[in-house]
Amino acid sequence: AASRGDAQLAELAQQLPADGAEAAGWLDDSSFQVALNGQKGVLGRLVFKADRPVAKDLREETARTLGAVARLVATSLELQQLSRA
């Protein structure tokens, strides 16, 4: 886990879906989580925490953008795994 600022990762970790769950979604008004899905299952999770609550009208766009970031990170992780094999 890595963080910047005052994010309370331990509190957020308790709100994450069960291991293996591929869902993404808002944990609260300012925290979003998304699974890093690979071909063989979930590789990990990204959790994003805004400094202040995200307005409801911006959440869908924000979720779409963070989902795209997660897909890029997941692809990078899979490529690293392939290069080690």
Side-chain angles (χ1 to χ4, degrees):
S3 68
R4 187 180 81 176
D6 295 330
Q8 301 297 319
L9 295 181
E11 292 175 16
L12 290 174
Q14 294 178 9
Q15 298 177 43
L16 295 176
D19 287 344
E22 297 181 6
W26 290 93
L27 301 172
D28 57 33
D29 291 341
S30 60
S31 305
F32 182 81
Q33 71 81 28
V34 60
L36 300 173
N37 297 318
Q39 289 183 343
K40 296 181 181 178
V42 177
L43 303 170
R45 295 196 181 283
L46 291 179
V47 179
F48 299 90
K49 175 103 174 132
D51 292 338
R52 55 188 167 272
V54 177
K56 289 185 180 191
D57 60 333
L58 295 176
R59 287 187 193 173
E60 187 175 326
E61 175 85 19
T62 302
R64 189 173 20 258
T65 300
L66 296 177
V69 169
R71 286 188 294 280
L72 292 170
V73 171
T75 299
S76 176
L77 290 173
E78 284 194 308
L79 290 173
Q80 286 181 352
Q81 288 176 345
L82 287 173
S83 69
R84 291 181 187 162

